[in-house]
Amino acid sequence: MSRMKAVQVEEAGGPLQLVERDVPEANEGQVRIKVQACGICHSDSLTKEGHWPGLQFPRVPGHEIAGVIDAVGAGVEGWRVGQRVGVGWHGGHCGRCARCRQGDFVLCEKAQVPGISYDGGYAQFVVAPVEALASIPDDLSDADAAPLLCAGITTFNALRHSGARAGDVVAILGIGGLGHLGVQFARKMGFNTVAIARGQDKAALAKELGAHHYIDSTTQSIPDELNKLGGAKVILATVTSGKAMSAAVGGLGLNGKMIMVGISEEPVEVPIAQFIMGRHSIQGWPSGTSADSQDTLVFSALSGIKPMIEEFPLERAAEAYDRMMSGGARFRVVLKVA
Ligand SMILES: [Zn+2]
Ligand SMILES: [Zn+2]
């Protein structure tokens, strides 16, 4: 049995520890992936802090996995050794529950998440079921693909299901890990793209990412500025503040919709009469399936969209995690494994 390096958490709230483990075997319906890169996501704290019901320890975190298939289990068709693949938040589904029977795999009652339901990508090898795989295009690097498998797919999939059409005003609230990708997607999807963030120093970055307009929420009224453009068809809320979202909903145009992808414990307050008379709505959006991930990767490769990343070797995972969680990293942190 060969051995590998992995970074695991031994108990809820415990440190990320570099350990040696047996290389896992691919069972029926699974592939083994030689990990090349794995992104660090804020949701990895669910694993590290044990904030997920039924989570078992020790556990290797990581659900932004990019690598190469290194072995295939029995019964696997359509995937071969040597193929580049990614695994994101959608790490498997049962295929039998009511939601799966309706084709809504990402909301499967027994949905699996790498790094939570089974060991994830902070390791040299990971085993995943075939339904979790996304093919990575040749001209996309592993380090760039990794964050697209969670932060990328979430914004891409929310925008493409938003109902906005080419030329519509689409605002991205927040230019962080999610938002800096959301601005790029919105621009490349053909929307009249507005970036909203705090401070004038983000204006240049917003333009660089492709925004046609920039709103500095510290000095400008978001509703006033969006209404000057005719109101937003869509506001993609990537911030993690209910208050910040509440301050923006007034900028929706007729039939406009706010889509929430950033998580906050604060509620969002909406002006009810305005919502009724403008036929406004508000919606949450949960990521997508492995097929949606693959679409995200292809669209990104075709249109030159890349995450802004800082890279760390696997051995420095604990430091990289702290950098991501402390907000020290501006956008996304990626572990280079191979
Ligand atoms: Zn994530
Ligand atoms: Zn299911």
Side-chain angles (χ1 to χ4, degrees):
M1 177 81 63
S2 48
R3 305 277 284 171
M4 69 169 186
K5 285 181 198 164
V7 173
Q8 68 180 26
V9 184
E10 281 178 19
E11 57 181 342
L16 289 165
Q17 291 180 315
L18 184 66
V19 295
E20 270 219 343
R21 284 183 161 210
D22 289 340
V23 172
E25 296 295 329
N27 293 319
E28 187 171 357
Q30 299 178 326
V31 301
R32 182 170 64 207
I33 299 165
K34 184 174 192 296
V35 181
Q36 303 289 316
C38 183
I40 295 180
C41 179
H42 284 99
S43 306
D44 294 345
S45 67
L46 297 170
T47 303
K48 187 172 178 301
E49 306 306 330
H51 294 161
W52 189 272
L55 185 75
Q56 290 178 354
F57 292 99
R59 183 58 83 221
V60 177
H63 60 261
E64 296 183 354
I65 305 161
V68 179
I69 295 179
D70 153 85
V72 298
V76 170
E77 290 175 19
W79 301 92
R80 52 178 171 73
V81 170
Q83 189 173 358
R84 296 177 66 217
V85 291
V87 182
W89 181 263
H90 173 228
H93 56 264
C94 76
R96 291 179 293 279
C97 73
R99 292 160 176 193
C100 282
R101 289 178 61 203
Q102 293 182 331
D104 208 349
F105 303 123
V106 81
L107 297 182
C108 170
E109 289 165 17
K110 293 178 182 169
Q112 292 189 297
V113 182
I116 293 178
S117 318
Y118 53 86
D119 286 324
Y122 291 19
Q124 289 178 302
F125 293 90
V126 65
V127 163
V130 285
E131 74 265 22
L133 302 178
S135 176
I136 301 177
D138 290 343
D139 43 0
L140 197 63
S141 75
D142 296 305
D144 285 339
L148 292 172
L149 292 159
C150 184
I153 180 188
T154 299
T155 49
F156 172 80
N157 213 30
L159 285 172
R160 71 173 175 164
H161 286 97
S162 69
R165 297 184 301 174
D168 283 345
V169 173
V170 171
I172 310 298
L173 179 61
I175 318 183
L178 290 163
H180 88 289
L181 290 165
V183 172
Q184 296 182 66
F185 286 129
R187 172 64 187 247
K188 296 291 186 180
M189 287 177 183
F191 304 138
N192 185 351
T193 304
V194 185
I196 308 169
R198 297 174 57 81
Q200 201 49 45
D201 54 321
K202 301 251 177 75
L205 171 70
K207 291 280 161 68
E208 205 179 298
L209 293 169
H212 296 101
H213 312 277
Y214 178 72
I215 300 173
D216 171 4
S217 63
T218 62
T219 58
Q220 293 175 296
S221 153
I222 299 171
D224 286 355
E225 296 305 314
L226 288 177
N227 285 318
K228 279 182 203 166
L229 298 169
K233 179 73 181 182
V234 168
I235 298 175
L236 181 68
T238 72
V239 291
T240 53
S241 158
K243 283 195 186 71
M245 293 184 196
S246 302
V249 286
L252 290 172
L254 291 184
N255 300 304
K257 173 161 68 176
M258 173 176 276
I259 305 178
M260 302 177 292
V261 294
I263 292 177
S264 170
E265 285 175 9
E266 301 159 6
V268 176
E269 290 186 12
V270 303
I272 297 172
Q274 197 181 324
F275 258 56
I276 293 171
M277 296 316 293
R279 214 182 283 114
H280 298 162
S281 58
I282 191 158
Q283 178 184 22
W285 191 270
S287 184
T289 63
S290 56
D292 295 316
S293 282
Q294 188 164 318
D295 290 348
T296 306
L297 298 178
V298 170
F299 185 86
S300 301
L302 285 174
S303 49
I305 290 172
K306 287 183 178 179
M308 298 176 88
I309 59 174
E310 287 180 30
E311 298 179 36
F312 286 76
L314 177 66
E315 290 76 8
R316 287 167 60 198
E319 183 191 338
Y321 176 89
D322 288 344
R323 180 145 177 84
M324 182 73 181
M325 294 302 152
S326 68
R330 186 82 179 274
F331 298 104
R332 301 299 282 191
V333 173
V334 173
L335 297 174
K336 288 282 277 188
V337 181

